[in-house]
Short mmCIF file of all heavy atoms in Angstrom, two decimals:
data_model
loop_
_atom_site.label_atom_id
_atom_site.label_comp_id
_atom_site.label_asym_id
_atom_site.label_seq_id
_atom_site.Cartn_x
_atom_site.Cartn_y
_atom_site.Cartn_z
N SER B 74 -5.80 26.72 -21.86
CA SER B 74 -4.68 26.25 -21.04
C SER B 74 -4.97 24.96 -20.27
O SER B 74 -4.09 24.13 -20.09
CB SER B 74 -4.29 27.32 -20.02
OG SER B 74 -3.92 28.50 -20.68
N PHE B 75 -6.22 24.80 -19.79
CA PHE B 75 -6.52 23.68 -18.89
C PHE B 75 -7.83 22.97 -19.24
O PHE B 75 -8.68 22.77 -18.36
CB PHE B 75 -6.63 24.19 -17.43
CG PHE B 75 -5.54 25.14 -17.02
CD1 PHE B 75 -5.82 26.50 -16.83
CD2 PHE B 75 -4.24 24.70 -16.82
CE1 PHE B 75 -4.82 27.39 -16.45
CE2 PHE B 75 -3.23 25.59 -16.44
CZ PHE B 75 -3.52 26.93 -16.26
N VAL B 202 9.99 28.20 -7.37
CA VAL B 202 9.34 28.63 -8.60
C VAL B 202 8.52 27.44 -9.13
O VAL B 202 8.88 26.29 -8.89
CB VAL B 202 10.42 29.11 -9.60
CG1 VAL B 202 11.28 27.97 -10.08
CG2 VAL B 202 9.79 29.84 -10.78
N ALA B 203 7.40 27.71 -9.80
CA ALA B 203 6.50 26.62 -10.20
C ALA B 203 5.86 26.94 -11.54
O ALA B 203 6.09 28.01 -12.13
CB ALA B 203 5.42 26.44 -9.15
N ASN B 204 5.07 26.01 -12.03
CA ASN B 204 4.28 26.27 -13.24
C ASN B 204 2.90 25.66 -13.10
O ASN B 204 2.69 24.73 -12.32
CB ASN B 204 4.98 25.73 -14.49
CG ASN B 204 5.18 24.23 -14.44
OD1 ASN B 204 6.24 23.75 -14.01
ND2 ASN B 204 4.17 23.48 -14.86
N ASP B 205 1.97 26.21 -13.84
CA ASP B 205 0.61 25.66 -13.86
C ASP B 205 0.59 24.39 -14.73
O ASP B 205 1.45 24.22 -15.60
CB ASP B 205 -0.36 26.70 -14.44
CG ASP B 205 -0.65 27.81 -13.45
OD1 ASP B 205 -0.95 27.48 -12.29
OD2 ASP B 205 -0.55 28.99 -13.83
N PRO B 206 -0.41 23.52 -14.49
CA PRO B 206 -0.50 22.28 -15.26
C PRO B 206 -1.10 22.48 -16.65
O PRO B 206 -2.15 21.94 -16.98
CB PRO B 206 -1.38 21.38 -14.37
CG PRO B 206 -2.24 22.35 -13.63
CD PRO B 206 -1.45 23.62 -13.46
N PHE B 207 -0.41 23.28 -17.48
CA PHE B 207 -0.90 23.56 -18.84
C PHE B 207 -1.04 22.28 -19.64
O PHE B 207 -0.21 21.37 -19.53
CB PHE B 207 0.08 24.50 -19.56
CG PHE B 207 0.17 25.87 -18.95
CD1 PHE B 207 1.30 26.25 -18.25
CD2 PHE B 207 -0.86 26.78 -19.09
CE1 PHE B 207 1.39 27.52 -17.69
CE2 PHE B 207 -0.78 28.06 -18.53
CZ PHE B 207 0.36 28.42 -17.83
N PHE B 208 -2.04 22.24 -20.49
CA PHE B 208 -2.38 21.03 -21.24
C PHE B 208 -1.51 20.86 -22.50
O PHE B 208 -1.26 21.84 -23.22
CB PHE B 208 -3.85 21.10 -21.66
CG PHE B 208 -4.33 19.88 -22.40
CD1 PHE B 208 -4.60 18.70 -21.72
CD2 PHE B 208 -4.49 19.91 -23.78
CE1 PHE B 208 -5.04 17.57 -22.39
CE2 PHE B 208 -4.94 18.78 -24.47
CZ PHE B 208 -5.21 17.61 -23.76
N GLY B 209 -1.13 19.63 -22.76
CA GLY B 209 -0.60 19.25 -24.08
C GLY B 209 0.81 19.75 -24.39
O GLY B 209 1.54 20.22 -23.53
N ARG B 210 1.14 19.61 -25.69
CA ARG B 210 2.50 19.92 -26.13
C ARG B 210 2.78 21.42 -26.04
O ARG B 210 3.80 21.84 -25.53
CB ARG B 210 2.70 19.44 -27.58
CG ARG B 210 4.15 19.14 -27.89
CD ARG B 210 4.34 18.62 -29.30
NE ARG B 210 3.34 17.62 -29.68
CZ ARG B 210 2.81 17.54 -30.91
NH1 ARG B 210 3.15 18.40 -31.85
NH2 ARG B 210 1.93 16.60 -31.18
N ALA B 211 1.81 22.23 -26.49
CA ALA B 211 1.98 23.69 -26.38
C ALA B 211 2.08 24.08 -24.91
O ALA B 211 2.77 25.03 -24.55
CB ALA B 211 0.79 24.40 -27.03
N GLY B 212 1.40 23.31 -24.07
CA GLY B 212 1.41 23.58 -22.64
C GLY B 212 2.78 23.46 -22.02
O GLY B 212 3.11 24.20 -21.09
N ARG B 213 3.58 22.51 -22.55
CA ARG B 213 4.93 22.35 -21.99
C ARG B 213 5.76 23.62 -22.22
O ARG B 213 6.54 24.03 -21.37
CB ARG B 213 5.63 21.13 -22.59
CG ARG B 213 5.23 19.84 -21.86
CD ARG B 213 6.19 18.71 -22.15
NE ARG B 213 6.09 18.23 -23.53
CZ ARG B 213 5.14 17.41 -23.97
NH1 ARG B 213 4.20 17.00 -23.14
NH2 ARG B 213 5.11 17.02 -25.22
N MET B 214 5.57 24.24 -23.38
CA MET B 214 6.29 25.48 -23.66
C MET B 214 5.81 26.61 -22.76
O MET B 214 6.59 27.42 -22.26
CB MET B 214 6.11 25.87 -25.12
CG MET B 214 6.99 25.04 -26.05
SD MET B 214 6.44 25.14 -27.75
CE MET B 214 6.66 26.88 -28.07
N MET B 215 4.48 26.65 -22.54
CA MET B 215 3.93 27.69 -21.66
C MET B 215 4.46 27.52 -20.24
O MET B 215 4.80 28.48 -19.56
CB MET B 215 2.40 27.64 -21.66
CG MET B 215 1.79 28.14 -22.96
SD MET B 215 0.09 27.60 -23.14
CE MET B 215 -0.75 28.85 -22.20
N ALA B 216 4.55 26.26 -19.81
CA ALA B 216 5.04 25.97 -18.45
C ALA B 216 6.49 26.43 -18.31
O ALA B 216 6.86 27.06 -17.32
CB ALA B 216 4.91 24.48 -18.15
N ASN B 217 7.31 26.12 -19.35
CA ASN B 217 8.72 26.52 -19.29
C ASN B 217 8.86 28.03 -19.25
O ASN B 217 9.66 28.58 -18.48
CB ASN B 217 9.49 25.98 -20.50
CG ASN B 217 9.68 24.47 -20.39
OD1 ASN B 217 9.64 23.94 -19.29
ND2 ASN B 217 9.87 23.81 -21.52
N SER B 218 8.06 28.71 -20.08
CA SER B 218 8.17 30.16 -20.13
C SER B 218 7.70 30.78 -18.81
O SER B 218 8.29 31.74 -18.30
CB SER B 218 7.38 30.65 -21.34
OG SER B 218 6.74 31.85 -21.07
N GLN B 219 6.65 30.19 -18.20
CA GLN B 219 6.16 30.68 -16.90
C GLN B 219 7.26 30.56 -15.84
O GLN B 219 7.48 31.48 -15.05
CB GLN B 219 4.93 29.87 -16.49
CG GLN B 219 4.18 30.43 -15.29
CD GLN B 219 3.00 29.55 -14.88
OE1 GLN B 219 3.04 28.33 -15.05
NE2 GLN B 219 1.96 30.16 -14.35
N ARG B 220 7.96 29.43 -15.86
CA ARG B 220 9.06 29.23 -14.91
C ARG B 220 10.21 30.19 -15.17
O ARG B 220 10.74 30.81 -14.25
CB ARG B 220 9.60 27.80 -15.03
CG ARG B 220 8.76 26.80 -14.31
CD ARG B 220 9.35 25.40 -14.45
NE ARG B 220 8.63 24.53 -13.53
CZ ARG B 220 9.03 24.26 -12.30
NH1 ARG B 220 10.16 24.71 -11.83
NH2 ARG B 220 8.29 23.51 -11.52
N ASP B 221 10.60 30.29 -16.45
CA ASP B 221 11.74 31.15 -16.80
C ASP B 221 11.50 32.60 -16.36
O ASP B 221 12.42 33.28 -15.94
CB ASP B 221 12.01 31.13 -18.31
CG ASP B 221 12.52 29.77 -18.77
OD1 ASP B 221 12.91 28.97 -17.89
OD2 ASP B 221 12.51 29.51 -19.99
N GLN B 222 10.25 33.02 -16.45
CA GLN B 222 9.94 34.41 -16.09
C GLN B 222 9.63 34.58 -14.61
O GLN B 222 9.36 35.69 -14.16
CB GLN B 222 8.75 34.91 -16.91
CG GLN B 222 9.02 34.97 -18.41
CD GLN B 222 7.78 35.47 -19.14
OE1 GLN B 222 7.50 36.66 -19.18
NE2 GLN B 222 7.04 34.55 -19.72
N GLY B 223 9.61 33.45 -13.86
CA GLY B 223 9.32 33.52 -12.42
C GLY B 223 7.93 34.08 -12.13
O GLY B 223 7.75 34.87 -11.22
N LEU B 224 6.94 33.63 -12.93
CA LEU B 224 5.58 34.19 -12.76
C LEU B 224 4.80 33.51 -11.65
O LEU B 224 3.82 34.06 -11.15
CB LEU B 224 4.81 34.08 -14.08
CG LEU B 224 5.42 34.83 -15.27
CD1 LEU B 224 4.57 34.65 -16.52
CD2 LEU B 224 5.57 36.32 -14.94
N LYS B 225 5.22 32.28 -11.29
CA LYS B 225 4.47 31.55 -10.26
C LYS B 225 5.44 30.98 -9.22
O LYS B 225 6.43 30.33 -9.59
CB LYS B 225 3.69 30.40 -10.91
CG LYS B 225 2.80 29.61 -9.96
CD LYS B 225 2.08 28.48 -10.68
CE LYS B 225 1.12 27.76 -9.77
NZ LYS B 225 -0.18 28.43 -9.67
#
Side-chain angles (χ1 to χ4, degrees):
S74 301
F75 315 109
V202 68
N204 61 267
D205 285 312
F207 294 108
F208 182 76
R210 206 178 316 143
R213 276 197 290 281
M214 282 163 62
M215 288 162 84
N217 288 337
S218 144
Q219 190 183 31
R220 280 181 170 267
D221 292 346
Q222 296 180 79
L224 299 180
K225 184 181 184 84

